[in-house]
Amino acid sequence: MCSSDLTFVNGLGLTWNPGERVQAYTHPLWMLVLSSIYFFTREAFFTSIFLSSLISIIAVSLFAFRLASSKFAAIGGLLVFTLSKAYIDYSTSGLENPLSHLLVILFFIIYLTPKLSLNQWKYLTFLASLIGLTRPDLLLVVAPVLGFDMWKQRNWYSVKILIVGFSPLIVWHLFSLFYYGFLWPNTAYAKLGAGVEMSTLVVQGFQYLQVSLLNDPLTIIIPIIACIASIVSKKRPLILIAIGMMFYILYVVRVGGCFMSGRMLTVPLLLGVIILSQLKITWSQRSKWAILALVLLIGLMMSKSPLYTTSQYGGEVEESKFGNGIVDERGWYFSGAGLLNANGKNMPNHRYALLGRRQNVPVTVRSTVGYYGYFAGSDTYIIDICGLGDALLARLPLDKLQKWRIGHNFRSVPEGYVATVRYRKNLLVDPSLKAYYSHLSIIISNPLFDANRIQTIIKMNLGQYDSLLYQYSNPN
């Protein structure tokens, strides 16, 4: 749960910092689902864990009883999910992964029915829209399926169904453009627009896969085996699923992966299990048990297997760091946020949460804003030097003097920016940046229906102010 849920439920709008409309989240549907439960509980920590766990249980139950083609396939799939560190870590984390898993499973339950009816096509497009609302890049997963079916039908009625099915996603982006002033979340500008070269990101992306292969091998091995199996099977539906899976993995490599080890690989793992669960295996019972035993052995060989978790797991120590900015995120926070360490404490008991609870200044500069930002409350303005929740810094290039880390592109705070947010007056020193911020602040702070704001949104999205940023970044 992020601060946007808190401000939204408390009637302050879908905001991050007070008085500014900035979309600091990438998962609108998950935000709305989580906020609707938080509205009744008014408790964030256990609410997010309970909701994540509940949705995860529903998802794997649907896989076992509705999607798997046999008892062996169901047992094998459940065993893989249990032994995959990434799948377990992010199925109970409070992030959007559980909802992504559920929607993907529902999508393929419908898609893999023997004869896809026109009515089912309507449900597919609607579920694809919800998948895009949960995490936009996951549309790559379902794109081959939808694209092939559209090509096969080749009529205007199917196009009409596609548009109607995608209406939730279309409506959200129109709302985002009006409310926030931009089609895409602020986090996208912060992570993808920092000026990191593509070759550097690709190398980082392969290192991301390598970290999972070494520390969580099932999460990498299963998608590879499934991809090969789909080709051998010559079954078009399975091949299309495999193509979507590979599209997404290539995208993960292209953007450099993530600093959270395995987070972006749980859906490819799920797709791999779905493909394998559809194969009609005619092997003997002994062979099937041997396969399950091999999966179990690989899972148990991992030193960080979910089955080995104790109250002493992880911590902010070197063993939680995998290198290249990638960490065992669950291990990093477990000592202060793991349920095994609750013991009647005010959870989460992590130092970032403790610092946030003690926050008593109106403006602060931070690079870690998760727990800290939530518990500091909506009265504190946090200048996030990674730009995730800051509209101005998200659009500035990274600070080349600081060590670059995937997902955390550190920016220099421009001279006069702290005073600007403190006194609500444009006190930026650089003339080009001052001019740019004057337009940006109109979008994020002026009344929604202000005519000047609407005009500025149009000009900003057409790139009419980009030259001001260029002049700031390239003063010579």
Side-chain angles (χ1 to χ4, degrees):
M1 177 169 286
C2 69
S3 183
S4 295
D5 299 276
L6 175 66
T7 55
F8 177 48
V9 172
N10 290 335
L12 300 176
L14 288 167
T15 61
W16 172 251
N17 278 315
E20 290 185 354
R21 292 178 296 272
V22 176
Q23 187 183 342
Y25 54 91
T26 58
H27 43 61
L29 184 59
W30 178 239
M31 181 277 298
L32 292 172
V33 170
L34 200 52
S35 295
S36 64
I37 305 300
Y38 176 75
F39 177 82
F40 295 102
T41 66
R42 299 293 167 154
E43 190 283 327
F45 181 74
F46 292 105
T47 296
S48 60
I49 292 177
F50 171 78
L51 186 59
S52 294
S53 302
L54 177 62
I55 293 176
S56 295
I57 291 171
I58 294 172
V60 297
S61 298
L62 284 171
F63 163 79
F65 294 109
R66 292 291 306 277
L67 197 51
S69 61
S70 66
K71 290 183 180 179
F72 169 72
I75 294 171
L78 294 177
L79 184 62
V80 169
F81 294 146
T82 302
L83 295 172
S84 166
K85 172 175 167 53
Y87 198 88
I88 293 297
D89 282 2
Y90 300 107
S91 290
T92 56
S93 64
L95 295 171
E96 78 285 346
N97 293 61
L99 185 57
S100 299
H101 301 158
L102 176 60
L103 292 172
V104 167
I105 287 173
L106 289 172
F107 181 92
F108 287 109
I109 285 176
I110 295 174
Y111 173 67
L112 292 170
T113 53
K115 291 184 178 180
L116 191 65
S117 67
L118 192 60
N119 196 47
Q120 289 171 318
W121 169 249
K122 295 177 182 178
Y123 292 134
L124 276 186
T125 58
F126 179 70
L127 283 169
S129 177
L130 297 185
I131 288 171
L133 274 175
T134 303
R135 188 171 179 90
D137 50 27
L138 286 179
L139 287 173
L140 290 170
V141 166
V142 298
V145 168
L146 294 179
F148 183 82
D149 272 24
M150 283 290 296
W151 176 82
K152 188 169 62 175
Q153 296 178 49
R154 290 198 298 274
N155 58 66
W156 283 109
Y157 187 66
S158 62
V159 174
K160 179 181 177 182
I161 291 176
L162 184 70
I163 294 173
V164 172
F166 269 80
S167 58
L169 188 61
I170 295 170
V171 168
W172 170 262
H173 281 293
L174 291 175
F175 167 79
S176 177
L177 182 61
F178 168 70
Y179 188 79
Y180 293 111
F182 302 95
L183 284 170
W184 308 109
N186 194 70
T187 50
Y189 297 97
K191 293 181 179 182
L192 304 179
V196 181
E197 293 183 359
M198 185 177 72
S199 58
T200 303
L201 289 174
V202 169
V203 170
Q204 178 71 25
F206 278 113
Q207 290 171 336
Y208 184 71
L209 299 183
Q210 181 184 37
V211 164
S212 283
L213 181 62
L214 295 175
N215 297 280
D216 188 17
L218 284 176
T219 302
I220 294 292
I221 292 173
I222 293 298
I224 294 174
I225 294 175
C227 189
I228 297 171
S230 69
I231 297 172
V232 173
S233 74
K234 298 181 180 179
K235 293 182 177 180
R236 187 173 61 203
L238 300 188
I239 292 174
L240 289 173
I241 297 174
I243 292 173
M245 178 176 67
M246 293 309 300
F247 276 178
Y248 189 71
I249 291 175
L250 289 173
Y251 164 80
V252 170
V253 172
R254 167 62 183 84
V255 299
C258 177
F259 68 93
M260 302 183 193
S261 174
R263 178 188 177 184
M264 299 184 75
L265 299 176
T266 62
V267 170
L269 172 70
L270 174 60
L271 294 173
V273 170
I274 290 174
I275 291 172
L276 296 176
S277 74
Q278 299 303 303
L279 300 176
K280 303 295 183 181
I281 298 177
T282 57
W283 299 340
S284 65
Q285 286 296 112
R286 180 176 296 180
S287 298
K288 291 180 179 180
W289 281 111
I291 292 173
L292 294 180
L294 179 61
V295 171
L296 181 61
L297 178 63
I298 294 174
L300 293 178
M301 287 174 60
M302 297 187 306
S303 62
K304 293 181 178 292
S305 169
L307 299 180
Y308 300 149
T309 300
T310 68
S311 60
Q312 303 303 312
Y313 178 78
E316 293 186 41
V317 292
E318 288 301 316
E319 67 180 40
S320 292
K321 299 179 181 179
F322 293 135
N324 303 109
I326 306 167
V327 299
D328 173 6
E329 191 75 354
R330 178 167 173 260
W332 187 260
Y333 286 98
F334 195 82
S335 62
L339 295 184
L340 293 179
N341 293 312
N343 297 324
K345 299 176 183 175
N346 187 15
M347 299 294 283
N349 195 43
H350 192 271
R351 65 184 180 92
Y352 292 159
L354 299 177
L355 285 171
R357 292 186 181 105
R358 292 197 295 265
Q359 170 64 39
N360 59 4
V361 295
V363 178
T364 184
V365 179
R366 298 282 302 182
S367 61
T368 51
V369 299
Y371 279 160
Y372 182 93
Y374 180 85
F375 288 103
S378 55
D379 292 332
T380 299
Y381 191 108
I382 300 175
I383 298 177
D384 175 12
I385 62 172
C386 296
L388 300 176
D390 193 290
L392 178 62
L393 296 189
R395 288 158 176 80
L396 300 184
L398 59 82
D399 184 352
K400 295 182 179 179
L401 297 179
Q402 294 201 48
K403 186 177 181 181
W404 173 77
R405 183 190 181 196
I406 187 66
H408 287 76
N409 300 312
F410 302 107
R411 274 81 169 183
S412 296
V413 179
E415 188 176 357
Y417 190 48
V418 175
T420 294
V421 299
R422 180 187 294 272
Y423 299 111
R424 301 291 180 178
K425 183 180 180 181
N426 192 342
L427 299 174
L428 287 164
V429 174
D430 184 272
S432 299
L433 193 62
K434 184 173 185 176
Y436 182 84
Y437 184 72
S438 68
H439 300 301
L440 182 64
S441 61
I442 288 173
I443 294 174
I444 64 177
S445 300
N446 276 27
L448 286 172
F449 294 95
D450 177 49
N452 187 28
R453 177 178 181 271
I454 303 299
Q455 292 175 3
T456 306
I457 289 174
I458 295 172
K459 292 179 180 179
M460 179 72 75
N461 283 275
L462 291 177
Q464 293 190 21
Y465 306 124
D466 291 354
S467 60
L468 296 171
L469 284 181
Y470 181 82
Q471 292 170 26
Y472 169 74
S473 303
N474 304 274
N476 297 324

